[in-house]
Amino acid sequence: MIMNPKSVIVIGAGIGGIVAATHLARRGLKVIVVEKNSRAGGRCDRLSREGHHFDTGPTLLVMPLLYEAEFRALGTSMPEMLDLQRVDPTYHLVFDDGSQLALTSDMKSMQEQLETFEAGSFQGLLRYMDEGHRHYHLGIEKLVNRDFRKASEFFALNNLPLLHQLKPLVNHYGNMSAYFDDPRLKAAFTFQDVYMGLSPFEAPATFSMMPYTELAHGVWYPKGGMYSVVEALVGLARDAGVEFVFDSAVNQIDVNAAHARGVILANGQRLGSDAVLANADLPYVYNDLLPEDNLANSLARKRFSCSVISFFWGLDKTYEKLGPHTLFLASDYRENFERIIRDLSLPANPSLYIHAPARLDPSMSPRGQDTLIAIVPVGHMSGNGEQDWGALRDEARRQVFRRLSILGITDLESHIKFETTFTPPAWRKRYNLMKGSTHGLCHNLTQLGYFRPRNRHSRYHNLYFTGASTHPGTGMPTAMVSGRLSAQRILDDFQYE
């Protein structure tokens, strides 16, 4: 316990900010979290209307072992905080040729299904899972849970074997040829790269860890939806003594030549503190909250992740034919990602995802009605402003209805009671995400590990960062890791002042 408690202001009540605030408060610091929106969660938000409830961010809980570890670090357990059910099959995949695949941890079912796609492919899956097991456990231990405060910690001799063990220099999709020939199966076990805002044609093969953890450790769903994770974390933060101030936007971080002195709110109020931790989108912090410098320009030139167009529909009819997680994967898989990442547009035949939360928790919809979320990956906002987001939204909606017709659902449009839509400009406005990039900075090889922006400012040494665009990267469980690592950095710096 610190004898004379110091104060920390956290900008943004996202996952990383809440977790960092809790760790700091548990160690005796005075912590205030300032959030521009009316509730916590950041992009892991919730929309509710007429008895329908929608998660705006992640719609499933993956990497449960990481969640468990981070809840333990907060002094509690995941089962104590969340009422979880396992989702199996995890996804219902639908391909352009009408073939379907239910991803499941039931290996007998997987064998029967895979062999109808390609003879011998089940053995390929088992070998792929072996590789994913290695990538997951080494990746979590050697990369995700490490802070890399100095280059020597990353470029150490004992890390050299990782170049072979984690295959960071090998293309993920290309690596699939060692396991499958059928392009549908290659797509089925690489689409998870979209979680990192990446194309599997440029993602490192390291990310085989994602399909592995989904099948080995399970995909889960908490009662009340993914926002219940946010509510659990806020409860822990309040119990630790964290103060939340909502509906209060930060206009700038108050700095002098070498230090951050606090923040200035949109209403002109100044809040002073011994340290500032920014959980807002990192490029936004440098560009909008700090004095202009070369670091802001350098961040703006980095690779940003893709975005999504999300549709939130309240329906007056239930569509039991739709499982909780349905994914339509296009046959022109490569062209999909090229249109999104290279052209910053919408593919002509987009892959897309449908989530029906009431299949898992009936309270997410009124009785006899349905709640659906449709997510269509799309390029982030360009610098020239030439993208017509109204037209792209309408085309994305049309593509969703077209894909649903493959499953025999042809009347959904006529049963929509209301629609809420998030396009990249909406993501930018609502959550201050630069370029509307829903996953922050891209997770390509040159923006991972030590190469990802660090969690302390190089000039203002009492200004810290946490969140998707800092190490270790995007996602709810990794945001929890980010918050813990940033909190530990603050505690260490205070200890040695």
Side-chain angles (χ1 to χ4, degrees):
M1 185 75 70
I2 296 174
M3 296 303 295
N4 297 308
K6 298 206 173 189
S7 60
V8 179
I9 289 175
V10 179
I11 304 172
I15 300 295
I18 300 169
V19 169
T22 307
H23 282 293
L24 294 171
R26 280 166 52 84
R27 293 290 295 274
L29 277 71
K30 175 178 169 54
V31 186
I32 298 176
V33 179
V34 183
E35 167 58 48
K36 85 178 192 78
N37 291 322
S38 60
R39 59 185 168 270
R43 71 200 82 179
C44 303
D45 205 348
R46 171 190 282 165
L47 301 177
S48 295
R49 180 176 170 182
E50 299 177 23
H52 300 267
H53 306 288
F54 309 86
D55 287 312
T56 63
T59 56
L60 38 80
L61 191 151
V62 297
M63 305 179 81
L65 302 188
L66 202 52
Y67 277 97
E68 289 174 357
E70 294 308 315
F71 273 112
R72 281 197 302 272
L74 290 167
T76 186
S77 69
M78 185 167 69
E80 190 177 346
M81 301 305 299
L82 302 173
D83 183 1
L84 292 171
Q85 62 175 302
R86 186 162 184 167
V87 184
D88 199 331
T90 56
Y91 303 94
H92 179 202
L93 305 184
V94 183
F95 301 97
D96 278 351
D97 63 0
S99 58
Q100 300 182 22
L101 174 64
L103 295 183
T104 172
S105 58
D106 180 343
M107 289 294 105
K108 185 174 187 301
S109 173
M110 285 297 289
Q111 181 174 14
E112 292 171 352
Q113 292 184 86
L114 291 179
E115 293 300 319
T116 67
F117 283 80
E118 175 188 334
S121 57
F122 180 67
Q123 289 303 313
L125 172 66
L126 295 181
R127 290 186 289 108
Y128 183 60
M129 290 286 284
D130 284 343
E131 178 180 272
H133 175 273
R134 182 178 73 247
H135 288 178
Y136 177 85
H137 290 283
L138 280 173
I140 296 297
E141 176 190 353
K142 302 290 188 179
L143 297 177
V144 173
N145 274 320
R146 298 285 303 281
D147 201 357
F148 302 120
R149 298 181 187 181
K150 299 181 294 185
S152 59
E153 295 175 355
F154 186 74
F155 299 104
L157 285 176
N158 59 3
N159 280 343
L160 280 178
L162 297 180
L163 288 172
H164 168 71
Q165 295 166 335
L166 290 176
K167 294 188 174 181
L169 303 179
V170 179
N171 171 277
H172 192 186
Y173 190 85
N175 187 56
M176 298 305 292
S177 296
Y179 306 102
F180 308 110
D181 292 325
D182 193 305
R184 293 170 299 177
L185 297 184
K186 293 179 181 180
F189 297 102
T190 58
F191 73 83
Q192 295 88 346
D193 293 346
V194 174
Y195 296 165
M196 273 68 70
L198 269 180
S199 160
F201 296 95
E202 62 176 345
T206 311
F207 288 137
S208 63
M209 66 192 300
M210 296 307 298
Y212 161 76
T213 185
E214 289 180 350
L215 292 177
H217 307 143
V219 168
W220 301 79
Y221 188 80
K223 183 176 175 59
M226 288 299 291
Y227 194 75
S228 63
V229 178
V230 176
E231 293 174 324
L233 292 174
V234 170
L236 290 173
R238 292 191 191 278
D239 289 346
V242 175
E243 178 184 350
F244 288 88
V245 180
F246 294 106
D247 298 306
S248 297
V250 171
N251 256 17
Q252 71 180 80
I253 298 171
D254 184 20
V255 297
N256 59 21
H259 292 90
R261 298 179 295 192
V263 301
I264 299 174
L265 304 182
N267 64 7
Q269 181 183 4
R270 181 187 179 279
L271 301 177
S273 62
D274 295 305
V276 173
L277 172 62
N279 183 213
D281 187 44
L282 186 69
Y284 168 81
V285 173
Y286 274 93
N287 194 67
D288 289 62
L289 302 185
L290 288 170
E292 184 176 353
D293 62 14
N294 291 332
L295 287 172
N297 297 329
S298 174
L299 271 179
R301 290 193 297 270
K302 287 186 178 292
R303 286 276 309 280
F304 283 73
S305 69
C306 65
S307 188
V308 297
I309 297 175
S310 295
F311 299 96
F312 306 96
W313 289 320
L315 306 173
D316 64 12
K317 174 183 175 181
T318 300
Y319 288 87
E320 293 292 343
K321 188 176 294 186
L322 283 173
H325 304 293
T326 304
L327 192 66
F328 295 87
L329 290 175
S331 56
D332 44 356
Y333 194 56
R334 183 187 295 270
E335 190 271 343
N336 254 254
F337 288 101
E338 288 178 349
R339 287 286 289 164
I340 292 168
I341 291 167
R342 182 193 65 197
D343 302 336
L344 301 181
S345 190
L346 177 72
N349 176 37
S351 296
L352 54 91
Y353 163 72
I354 307 287
H355 175 45
R359 298 304 164 275
L360 301 168
D361 183 352
S363 71
M364 303 300 278
S365 292
R367 185 183 298 272
Q369 301 185 28
D370 221 344
T371 296
L372 288 189
I373 302 171
I375 299 177
V376 186
V378 69
H380 62 64
M381 298 172 69
S382 67
N384 57 29
E386 293 180 356
Q387 293 148 308
D388 184 341
W389 290 110
L392 290 170
R393 176 203 61 212
D394 293 345
E395 175 60 15
R397 185 191 298 107
R398 189 186 72 80
Q399 292 288 349
V400 174
F401 296 146
R402 179 182 68 82
R403 287 305 186 91
L404 287 171
S405 68
I406 297 174
L407 299 180
I409 298 173
T410 58
D411 64 344
L412 187 138
E413 187 172 10
S414 64
H415 289 280
I416 295 176
K417 296 163 48 184
F418 63 83
E419 172 185 281
T420 299
T421 309
F422 283 7
T423 60
W427 291 109
R428 182 181 65 176
K429 180 179 180 181
R430 193 177 184 102
Y431 306 110
N432 289 334
L433 304 180
M434 185 170 281
K435 301 187 181 183
S437 295
T438 47
H439 301 83
L441 292 178
C442 185
H443 294 71
N444 58 322
L445 187 60
T446 57
Q447 293 180 183
L448 285 175
Y450 181 75
F451 301 111
R452 201 159 185 82
R454 255 83 71 200
N455 55 20
R456 190 179 75 172
H457 197 282
S458 60
R459 178 178 178 183
Y460 311 116
H461 286 178
N462 64 335
L463 172 58
Y464 304 85
F465 309 105
T466 186
S469 292
T470 60
H471 177 74
T474 194
M476 290 181 78
T478 44
M480 294 178 73
V481 175
S482 175
R484 173 173 54 81
L485 294 177
S486 297
Q488 190 59 54
R489 185 75 184 263
I490 294 171
L491 291 167
D492 289 348
D493 286 353
F494 279 170
Q495 193 73 30
Y496 292 109
E497 280 186 349

